[in-house]
Amino acid sequence: IALEDFAALTGLIIALLGWFGNEIFHYEYSDGISAMFIGILLITVGFILGREMKSLLIGESVNAINQEKIANLSLKTTNEKK
């Protein structure tokens, strides 16, 4: 959530700089340039979030030690019920 908020605020600052460049300095390309920077920012944040959330989307496998503990616990509870 913090990364998304940071990207949103950064995008607003970039848009404001582009607007200032156009309105105050009469540089006609500043709006388009700021739009490209905002697009690059969004793409970068999208890749970072996608990489970080990959494990939540696909799932992670259990390592061998934890798998053995789970199997032993399962056998233990099964034997206790008998």
Side-chain angles (χ1 to χ4, degrees):
I1 295 174
L3 183 63
E4 294 171 8
D5 292 342
F6 174 75
L9 290 174
T10 305
L12 286 173
I13 292 170
I14 293 171
L16 184 65
L17 291 174
W19 181 80
F20 272 131
N22 192 11
E23 290 295 319
I24 295 174
F25 301 115
H26 303 292
Y27 184 64
E28 58 190 38
Y29 298 113
S30 65
D31 191 36
I33 292 170
S34 66
M36 287 190 292
F37 278 119
I38 291 171
I40 291 169
L41 174 70
L42 291 175
I43 290 170
T44 304
V45 170
F47 277 121
I48 292 171
L49 288 176
R51 188 185 64 209
E52 294 295 322
M53 299 301 156
K54 178 182 171 186
S55 63
L56 296 175
L57 295 172
I58 302 173
E60 293 180 0
S61 61
V62 178
N63 62 19
I65 295 170
N66 287 336
Q67 188 174 7
E68 186 176 333
K69 288 178 183 178
I70 292 170
N72 290 337
L73 183 62
S74 174
L75 290 174
K76 181 180 174 184
T77 57
T78 304
N79 291 336
E80 289 176 359
K81 289 182 180 181
K82 289 182 181 180

